[in-house]
Amino acid sequence: VASYPLVASFAALVAVQLLAPPATAKLTTLYYQKTCPNVEKIVSDVVTTKQISTPTTAAGALRLFFHDCFVGGCDASVLVSSNAFNRAERDADDNVSLPGDGFDAIVRAKTALELQCPGVVSCADVLALATRELVLMLGGPFYRVRLGRKDALTSTAASVAGNLPGPNVTVDQLISLFARRHFTVQELVVLSGAHTVGFSHCSQFASRIFGYDGLARDAHDPAMSPWFAQALQKACANHVNNPTIAAFNEGGTQGR
């Protein structure tokens, strides 16, 4: 399910950060030691407050970080808005459902940093740091974030097509897509496993729980656990009339 967050372990998050292009590969935890020494605390304070007030923030930022990194590297290109002359990444078909809470957390953190260290910290680094803080709040591990990413100079919707894992791709297609970015199968499994955080829109998996293979309306994919499929059918019963309806990917741990 491509609808919600990826990345839930130290190894996988580090792997995602290594997607940065060669020009930004020389990163260090001391990058802002002289120019903005409190960068990590400032980001932490802002996103912690945001997560407490809006618990869906962490899942949203996690997904936002993945979608940014998987297309062209971790360069904040997904944060760029479209204009009359260019349709940006965030408005690509695969990104239109990216959650507003994720964007809002990054904007708040960047604004706080501009008040303390104007023009110093890149949006790409803010997104990487904010994601680490929010993963930590969900019970994930603390890990050092190397900094020094540069923000993208371009952002186009055309660059997204075919470069993000879709909800209906096969396992072989997933392995191939991740392998092109130097991920192992084990790292693919770890990243996919992080979908236990957050929720997914019913429209992303409706074909597996309603009228599977052209059978009766309540026919579901037999590979799914019957009780889980039935629970999803109940939660998603009105998804055709209301495409915003969503369901948790795993009962009880969607916030951890």
Side-chain angles (χ1 to χ4, degrees), residues 15-95:
V16 167
Q17 293 186 63
L18 291 178
L19 286 169
T24 63
K26 293 182 179 179
L27 309 180
T28 170
T29 58
L30 303 177
Y31 191 81
Y32 298 110
Q33 185 176 37
K34 294 182 179 179
T35 56
C36 194
N38 294 322
V39 57
E40 296 197 27
K41 184 179 187 305
I42 293 171
V43 172
S44 178
D45 288 347
V46 171
V47 300
T48 296
T49 300
K50 172 69 176 175
Q51 172 67 10
I52 291 172
S53 64
T54 313
T56 56
T57 298
L62 196 54
R63 182 173 180 232
L64 185 62
F65 187 44
F66 179 84
H67 277 234
D68 179 48
C69 292
F70 223 66
V71 178
C74 307
D75 58 6
S77 53
V78 76
L79 302 179
V80 177
S81 296
S82 297
N83 57 40
F85 307 100
N86 178 61
R87 183 171 172 237
E89 276 183 40
R90 66 189 295 170
D91 291 320
D93 292 344
D94 289 337
N95 284 337

Side-chain angles (χ1 to χ4, degrees), residues 165-188:
N168 298 311
V169 298
T170 66
V171 172
D172 286 341
Q173 289 171 326
L174 279 174
I175 291 173
S176 176
L177 183 64
F178 277 70
R180 293 206 305 267
R181 289 156 180 79
H182 309 290
F183 284 103
T184 65
V185 173
Q186 183 179 23
E187 288 166 338
L188 161 61

Side-chain angles (χ1 to χ4, degrees), residues 11 33 43 52 58 60 63 69 82 106 108 118 129 135 151 166 179 218 221 227:
Q33 185 176 37
V43 172
I52 291 172
R63 182 173 180 232
C69 292
S82 297
I106 306 309
R108 290 178 184 231
L129 282 171
V135 166
D151 291 338
D218 61 352
D221 183 345
W227 70 266

Side-chain angles (χ1 to χ4, degrees), residues 99-251:
D101 286 331
F103 286 103
D104 184 57
I106 306 309
V107 170
R108 290 178 184 231
K110 175 63 172 174
T111 300
L113 285 166
E114 287 301 299
L115 293 174
Q116 297 294 321
C117 321
V120 173
V121 183
S122 68
C123 291
D125 278 342
V126 174
L127 181 52
L129 282 171
T131 302
R132 189 275 306 280
E133 292 301 320
L134 291 164
V135 166
L136 188 61
M137 287 190 71
L138 297 186
F142 174 85
Y143 56 93
R144 300 299 299 172
V145 176
R146 290 177 292 161
L147 303 168
R149 295 165 188 75
K150 305 303 178 184
D151 291 338
L153 299 178
T154 60
S155 177
T156 64
S159 66
V160 177
N163 285 311
L164 286 170
N168 298 311
V169 298
T170 66
V171 172
D172 286 341
Q173 289 171 326
L174 279 174
I175 291 173
S176 176
L177 183 64
F178 277 70
R180 293 206 305 267
R181 289 156 180 79
H182 309 290
F183 284 103
T184 65
V185 173
Q186 183 179 23
E187 288 166 338
L188 161 61
V189 171
V190 171
L191 288 161
S192 300
H195 280 89
T196 56
V197 175
F199 58 85
S200 294
H201 289 96
C202 295
S203 58
Q204 296 293 305
F205 54 85
S207 62
R208 294 189 64 197
I209 60 173
F210 294 115
Y212 186 73
D213 277 353
L215 301 177
R217 162 121 177 124
D218 61 352
H220 61 79
D221 183 345
M224 297 180 71
S225 167
W227 70 266
F228 185 51
Q230 291 162 12
L232 290 175
Q233 288 173 342
K234 183 177 180 180
C236 298
N238 197 38
H239 82 94
V240 174
N241 296 323
N242 183 0
T244 65
I245 289 180
F248 293 125
N249 295 322
E250 198 219 352

